[in-house]
Amino acid sequence: MKGPQVIRFKRLSLGAECTADMEEIADLESTSLVGGDENFTCQSGPSYQVTLLICIGAFGCGYGIGFTSPAAHQLERSNSSLHLPGGGHQLQLNEEEISWFGSILFLACMLGGVIGGPLAERLSRKGALIVSNLPLVAGWLAIAFANDLPTMLAGRTLVGLNVGMGILLNPVYVTETVLPELRGRLTTFLQLSIAAGILVCFAMGDDVHYMYMAHAGAGLGAVYALMLFWIPKSPRWCVRHEQNEKSIRALQRLRGQHANILMEHSEITCAVQLELKAAKFAWSDMLRPALRRPFLMSVALMLFQQWCGINVVMSYTAMIFDGAGLASISSLLSIGVAAIQLLFTFLSVFVVDRYGRRPLLMAAGLGLTVSCVLMALFFYRFRFAGGAAATILPVVALYAYTAAFSLGLGVLPWLFMAEAFPSRAMPFMSPISAALCWFNAFIITKYFHAMTQAFGDGGAFVLFAAVSFLLVLFSKFTLIETKGLTLEQVEAKFKPQSYSSSSNVTLPEFA
């Protein structure tokens, strides 16, 4: 057995006094629960392992979102060469039915986001992720065997429940388990996986019947649910629910069997102590700056994400190219959109923790503004002009649009929500923020066709450009940077400066 460690003290601005039970923490080293050497740093391998597994679920979310474009294209055209497996008639949907087919997923995502937070608090993040795959499998099977519109919409609703819960819970689990210095990069892997799921669906296009795509989605969900039993629970969740031994075991698995986890565990314990000593969450707390500021910033980012038009582009990619006069190659061009999204989401992995959240969002906003202006210019001036401009401009504009979105606005609103909301308020604030996001996705996807009929295709992209430019101003003058900060430091940053700067927390540091 090793000799006793020397206890030093580390000062953190957490905004209140935290009194840790030093004897209890020091005694942990003499138990069999904690291994590790004070000179052995934490390993990054376990953080990558759990993130890659969660990425399977994120891929499934992207697969569910990306399914809309090729399936809607098949259903709208009622391609006679695509027959239902096992016989039956090919479904044919009109424009109104297509709008429901595309948008009802996001309405269900809103419900999934609302129930996802409380479910994660009751069952643990791990337990909620496992349960969320039950409606996923059922939904894909309903789509696979549907021969009428109500069954199809029911399946889409069930899949949407999983997508809403998954996109909410995946970054929460990753931010609470991985090393702080890897948090931004690994959370970006989730968006990369969503982009990969969309790319796979777009690549199938008209070549694979949507029913076979649904069978694949059901199989993926079932396998992923079984694999989730391997991952540890969130140490922060375990501490909050007085499962101290489980939290230690989980943290040891996540940092490596030879890593010294005592300091990090004591910080988590102190942070949870502060939360538990504080009054329980009440809706009136939302008026306090420590909660009001991150909540309003999160809601603003979610609104910018949706009203820049991304889900319209992803849901109706092939139809947008059809409307631009490129129907003969719309499926191929749609694959290009998904490939661009995957590429630039991959690039964002390497820049999100290097340049920070605010610069990336400003760059994304500028790119979105320019590309939307180009799309509007095409529809207003070059759509029927013929020539190279009429062919190249919409392709370049949509590809640039996808690149700009994927570089910043795809992952950062969800990462900001996972970083900025205090743990005690997370089950209440996250579902509201996510629900607002999905409700706006539903509105803009459902009524996109009505919008284009009223204002023209160009008018829709003028709106998207205006929203994107507002994102630039918001990121420059309002948003708070969270790059490189622990979750406790992020929480302290949202508190009134006079309070957080004067209240330091003394924590034990084991050397």
Side-chain angles (χ1 to χ4, degrees):
M1 183 179 298
K2 296 187 299 180
Q5 290 183 310
V6 177
I7 298 180
R8 299 196 184 103
F9 291 94
K10 180 180 180 181
R11 299 182 69 81
L12 294 176
S13 296
L14 292 179
E17 289 295 331
C18 173
T19 305
D21 190 337
M22 301 304 174
E23 292 184 1
E24 178 181 353
I25 296 174
D27 286 344
L28 289 175
E29 192 172 29
S30 64
T31 71
S32 60
L33 294 176
V34 179
D37 189 322
E38 62 269 21
N39 298 318
F40 196 94
T41 57
C42 296
Q43 296 176 330
S44 61
S47 293
Y48 280 96
Q49 290 169 8
V50 296
T51 301
L52 290 177
L53 196 151
I54 297 298
C55 282
I56 298 175
F59 177 92
C61 293
Y63 191 86
I65 295 172
F67 177 79
T68 303
S69 183
H73 204 228
Q74 293 180 27
L75 292 166
E76 180 196 38
R77 295 192 309 161
S78 187
N79 194 328
S80 59
S81 64
L82 296 172
H83 299 288
L84 295 179
H89 65 281
Q90 169 69 38
L91 292 176
Q92 182 177 8
L93 305 182
N94 59 36
E95 189 173 275
E96 175 66 17
E97 291 169 337
I98 285 288
S99 70
W100 276 109
F101 176 83
S103 62
I104 198 170
L105 177 87
F106 301 115
L107 197 60
C109 286
M110 181 179 69
L111 179 59
V114 169
I115 66 177
L119 200 64
E121 190 63 22
R122 175 177 288 272
L123 301 181
S124 79
R125 283 51 165 155
K126 172 182 175 179
L129 285 170
I130 294 173
V131 170
S132 70
N133 282 274
L134 298 178
L136 176 70
V137 175
W140 281 122
L141 291 177
I143 293 172
F145 294 105
N147 57 11
D148 55 48
L149 180 62
T151 305
M152 176 72 73
L153 295 182
R156 292 280 288 167
T157 299
L158 291 173
V159 172
L161 285 174
N162 169 267
V163 174
M165 286 190 282
I167 291 182
L168 172 70
L169 297 175
N170 290 336
V172 171
Y173 179 85
V174 170
T175 55
E176 290 188 357
T177 55
V178 304
L179 290 168
E181 58 268 26
L182 297 176
R183 191 175 65 234
R185 175 181 299 178
L186 294 184
T187 305
T188 307
F189 280 1
L190 301 176
Q191 185 65 25
L192 182 65
S193 300
I194 293 175
I198 294 174
L199 174 60
V200 168
C201 277
F202 280 22
M204 292 179 181
D206 288 340
D207 296 327
V208 180
H209 197 288
Y210 69 84
M211 295 185 67
Y212 291 119
M213 296 168 65
H215 283 296
L220 177 66
V223 172
Y224 176 57
L226 294 176
M227 296 178 69
L228 283 172
F229 285 96
W230 173 81
I231 64 174
K233 291 183 178 180
S234 162
R236 293 174 66 88
W237 183 89
C238 291
V239 171
R240 281 184 58 82
H241 291 78
E242 300 180 351
Q243 299 179 12
N244 201 46
E245 292 187 6
K246 289 184 178 180
S247 70
I248 295 170
R249 294 183 190 278
L251 195 58
Q252 194 73 69
R253 280 187 61 189
L254 291 165
R255 301 296 179 258
Q257 293 303 312
H258 300 289
N260 191 316
I261 64 167
L262 296 179
M263 185 61 219
E264 183 176 2
H265 189 269
S266 69
E267 289 185 4
I268 293 174
T269 301
C270 280
V272 171
Q273 282 182 5
L274 292 177
E275 295 170 5
L276 296 179
K277 287 180 180 178
K280 291 185 177 181
F281 178 82
W283 291 112
S284 59
D285 293 339
M286 298 291 290
L287 301 176
R288 299 178 181 177
L291 295 183
R292 184 185 70 246
R293 295 176 69 199
F295 176 73
L296 292 179
M297 289 181 187
S298 175
V299 168
L301 288 177
M302 292 299 184
L303 293 178
F304 285 126
Q305 184 188 64
Q306 295 307 319
W307 283 96
C308 76
I310 183 59
N311 278 307
V312 166
V313 172
M314 290 294 105
S315 297
Y316 303 128
T317 306
M319 294 181 185
I320 291 174
F321 282 126
D322 285 352
L326 302 169
S328 61
I329 55 174
S330 61
S331 295
L332 181 62
L333 293 175
S334 297
I335 296 174
V337 168
I340 290 291
Q341 183 184 35
L342 181 65
L343 173 62
F344 278 84
T345 302
F346 176 75
L347 294 177
S348 71
V349 171
F350 302 99
V351 298
V352 66
D353 279 331
R354 181 174 182 177
Y355 297 107
R357 286 54 164 159
R358 292 174 62 198
L360 283 182
L361 286 170
M362 286 187 285
L366 286 174
L368 289 168
T369 302
V370 172
S371 56
C372 287
V373 168
L374 291 177
M375 279 300 294
L377 182 65
F378 163 78
F379 281 114
Y380 281 131
R381 183 167 182 178
F382 296 105
R383 183 175 186 177
F384 303 109
T391 302
I392 297 175
L393 187 58
V395 177
V396 172
L398 273 189
Y399 282 9
Y401 173 96
T402 306
F405 179 88
S406 302
L407 195 60
L409 200 54
V411 65
L412 291 180
W414 299 99
L415 174 60
F416 181 85
M417 182 178 69
E419 289 180 327
F421 290 175
S423 294
R424 73 183 181 92
M426 180 74 75
F428 305 93
M429 295 169 63
S430 294
I432 297 174
S433 184
L436 289 172
C437 169
W438 294 122
F439 178 73
N440 281 273
F442 164 75
I443 292 295
I444 196 170
T445 308
K446 175 67 176 69
Y447 296 105
F448 173 68
H449 293 298
M451 186 189 309
T452 57
Q453 289 175 358
F455 305 107
D457 293 319
F461 282 95
V462 168
L463 172 63
F464 299 156
V467 172
S468 300
F469 186 70
L470 288 176
L471 169 65
V472 178
L473 300 179
F474 174 80
S475 302
K476 173 67 175 177
F477 298 108
T478 304
L479 191 66
I480 288 180
E481 181 62 71
T482 59
K483 169 192 169 186
L485 302 178
T486 66
L487 297 182
E488 290 72 32
Q489 290 169 333
V490 172
E491 183 177 349
K493 205 167 186 181
F494 284 107
K495 294 180 178 180
Q497 191 65 30
S498 60
Y499 179 71
S500 61
S501 62
S502 62
S503 300
N504 292 323
V505 177
T506 302
L507 297 177
E509 181 177 347
F510 296 89

